[in-house]
Amino acid sequence: MYFAFPTLYASAFSGFYLPLMIVLWLLILRGASIEFRNHIKSAIWDPLWDFLFWGSSLLLAVFFGAALGNVVRGVPLDSSGYFFEPLWTNFRLGDETGILDWYTILVGVLALIALMMHGGLWVQMKTNGEVHARAGKLAGRTWWGVVALTALVTAVTFRIQPQLKENFTTWPWGFLFPCLRWPG
């Protein structure tokens, strides 16, 4: 990204430096937990690294969803192409935005639940027996959460970015794409 889009790189790192470092540390923690888990056989060691892998994976999904929320909401670039927002705010509804605020966390939770559903469907497709059944139940339960949160996030997004709603009224066939399913 540095060589292809240096201005975008500079702008992104000016405001997203701390969140990008958090994502980097979460990725490192995931890799370390996979590596270190099998070094010692202990009743405390294995669950510790399993928990760290689970927690870092969960937080990565939420952080990537929050990044998507920031992109959809827009980042306040100044005239020189840089921006700064606090990492979090007071999480109240309003105009006070941050990298992690009520809207971006809502999008992050939607991303987490969508990834849980996707993972459940993948495990269901690849396994048989009890694991297949449990993965199907997980995917079925999270599907309802994905539908409900998608509707909520869409409604909130239309209030935060009114031009998106105008785009859908200008090109109404755009509503069909989220409803379509590829056959097979």
Side-chain angles (χ1 to χ4, degrees):
M1 191 163 93
Y2 175 76
F3 292 112
F5 307 102
T7 306
L8 175 64
Y9 177 80
S11 297
F13 264 90
S14 69
F16 289 127
Y17 185 77
L18 182 59
L20 288 171
M21 291 300 112
I22 292 171
V23 165
L24 178 64
W25 279 104
L26 288 171
L27 288 169
I28 291 169
L29 186 58
R30 284 190 64 196
S33 64
I34 291 170
E35 177 63 31
F36 291 145
R37 184 185 191 281
N38 293 322
H39 282 220
I40 299 173
K41 293 296 178 195
S42 167
I44 296 173
W45 189 260
D46 291 349
L48 169 71
W49 292 108
D50 289 344
F51 175 77
L52 290 174
F53 180 78
W54 171 83
S56 59
S57 298
L58 182 132
L59 287 174
L60 272 173
V62 172
F63 263 77
F64 285 137
L68 176 64
N70 275 293
V71 169
V72 169
R73 183 187 59 214
V75 291
L77 294 175
D78 65 10
S79 61
S80 64
Y82 295 101
F83 77 99
F84 175 79
E85 285 192 317
L87 183 59
W88 62 77
T89 63
N90 57 13
F91 294 100
R92 294 186 185 141
L93 300 178
D95 293 334
E96 187 179 333
T97 62
I99 305 282
L100 297 174
D101 58 10
W102 65 272
Y103 176 71
T104 58
I105 295 293
L106 185 65
V107 176
V109 170
L110 172 59
L112 173 66
I113 292 176
L115 286 171
M116 286 173 59
M117 182 185 73
H118 183 271
L121 290 171
W122 187 84
V123 169
Q124 184 185 29
M125 182 181 74
K126 294 289 187 180
T127 59
N128 294 318
E130 182 185 343
V131 174
H132 176 85
R134 286 178 36 207
K137 284 181 186 176
L138 174 71
R141 288 186 193 132
T142 54
W143 182 84
W144 290 105
V146 169
V147 168
L149 275 176
T150 299
L152 177 63
V153 167
T154 301
V156 170
T157 300
F158 285 162
R159 292 198 71 174
I160 289 176
Q161 290 289 4
Q163 71 270 13
L164 291 177
K165 190 174 184 181
E166 292 173 16
N167 289 344
F168 278 114
T169 55
T170 305
W171 298 289
W173 50 268
F175 278 111
L176 294 176
F177 289 121
C179 301
L180 293 177
R181 180 179 172 269
W182 188 262

